[in-house]
Amino acid sequence: MDSFKKLKNEYVKVEISGKTTFSGILLDNGLDIIVINDGEKYLYIPLNHVHTIKKSLKGETEFTLDTFSGDLPFQDDNENISYRKILNNAKGQFIELFVTGNKSIHGYITNILNDYIVFYSPVFKTILISMHHIKWLIPYTSNLTPYTLNNANLPIVPSNIPLARTFEEQLKKYTDQLLVFDLGDAPDKIGLVKDISNNIIEIITAEGTPVYWKLTHLKSVHLP
């Protein structure tokens, strides 16, 4: 977004969905994503979750642009960044990704489809995540793995599950199966899938109660 150019390499404060704020140096921006560094880590933040960006004086004495050297993670200095391009470049690399509630998930992207990604987590295993609900992602340093697991316990292999192009079509494959939505942050988001149509999913909770969710409000799903 051209309007952000005047803030590039400046110290900024960014407010995103959920009244979360970050402060750091704005290192780059594209039409649908920005990258800042808070002095410790790089944060890639999709613009659909950004509410405001403003220049900030706070922190200017803590670190400066000279702190950063070399190429930015996930990107080439000669190319314009975009959300999908960053996801593609991050594929197979260890990242921290934030989607919902107060939980970050750690692991790596194995597949990128039209409107969702497939993510492997050593805790939750394979997770389908709507691209519209990823609030930020953070690359790991090159010498670190999630939970310090070795490669035997955290193999980098593509997911071998059959994948549809869209989030809704993929979920239809799990009719009559037990699914956990949004990392199980609410009891009504764990249940047996009964039907999916017209962007509405019907699940049966542990108590046998039918609950109907609009798919666009669900952020992630995994098999328990």
Side-chain angles (χ1 to χ4, degrees):
M1 185 178 292
D2 288 344
S3 57
F4 290 158
K5 283 185 177 179
K6 64 185 71 174
L7 293 177
K8 189 173 180 179
N9 298 331
E10 299 282 356
Y11 198 89
V12 297
K13 183 175 182 179
V14 181
E15 180 181 346
I16 69 169
S17 304
K19 297 184 178 180
T20 302
T21 60
F22 294 107
S23 294
I25 293 179
L26 179 65
L27 296 177
D28 203 357
N29 68 275
L31 291 174
D32 54 6
I33 196 167
I34 62 172
V35 53
I36 68 171
N37 190 292
D38 65 0
E40 296 181 357
K41 53 189 177 291
Y42 294 92
L43 295 104
Y44 287 83
I45 306 173
L47 279 178
N48 64 319
H49 287 292
V50 173
H51 291 198
T52 62
I53 301 178
K54 61 183 179 180
K55 187 175 179 180
S56 173
L57 297 178
K58 182 181 178 182
E60 284 186 341
T61 58
E62 297 173 15
F63 63 98
T64 66
L65 192 62
D66 295 334
T67 305
F68 313 110
S69 60
D71 296 331
L72 295 177
F74 306 153
Q75 60 190 98
D76 186 322
D77 286 342
N78 299 320
E79 65 180 8
N80 295 323
I81 66 170
S82 71
Y83 182 24
R84 182 170 287 274
K85 191 177 293 183
I86 291 301
L87 291 176
N88 274 292
N89 292 347
K91 186 177 176 181
Q93 300 185 48
F94 294 124
I95 60 175
E96 174 185 346
L97 187 148
F98 189 91
V99 180
T100 186
N102 58 358
K103 302 175 186 175
S104 291
I105 54 176
H106 301 256
Y108 55 89
I109 298 168
T110 63
N111 298 88
I112 302 166
L113 288 304
N114 284 5
D115 61 354
Y116 73 100
I117 66 171
V118 183
F119 191 85
Y120 183 82
S121 156
V123 176
F124 300 101
K125 307 309 178 187
T126 298
I127 313 173
L128 310 179
I129 303 173
S130 167
M131 288 172 60
H132 304 299
H133 291 290
I134 296 174
K135 290 185 177 179
W136 69 81
L137 59 94
I138 301 170
Y140 271 44
T141 57
S142 58
N143 60 348
L144 190 67
T145 61
Y147 310 100
T148 66
L149 293 172
N150 59 36
N151 289 337
N153 294 318
L154 189 58
I156 303 181
V157 293
S159 171
N160 59 4
I161 62 174
L163 297 171
R165 299 305 302 172
T166 68
F167 194 53
E168 180 172 354
E169 289 302 315
Q170 183 63 24
L171 292 186
K172 288 179 180 179
K173 296 176 179 286
Y174 301 119
T175 302
D176 296 325
Q177 294 190 51
L178 187 65
L179 295 182
V180 177
F181 294 93
D182 297 350
L183 306 183
D185 66 355
D188 286 351
K189 290 184 177 180
I190 304 172
L192 188 73
V193 176
K194 294 304 293 180
D195 182 64
I196 301 174
S197 60
N198 299 319
N199 201 36
I200 301 294
I201 183 169
E202 176 189 358
I203 67 173
I204 307 299
T205 67
E207 295 79 16
T209 304
V211 178
Y212 300 86
W213 287 95
K214 194 171 182 180
L215 279 178
T216 50
H217 291 166
L218 296 175
K219 304 171 183 65
S220 68
V221 60
H222 70 278
L223 292 165

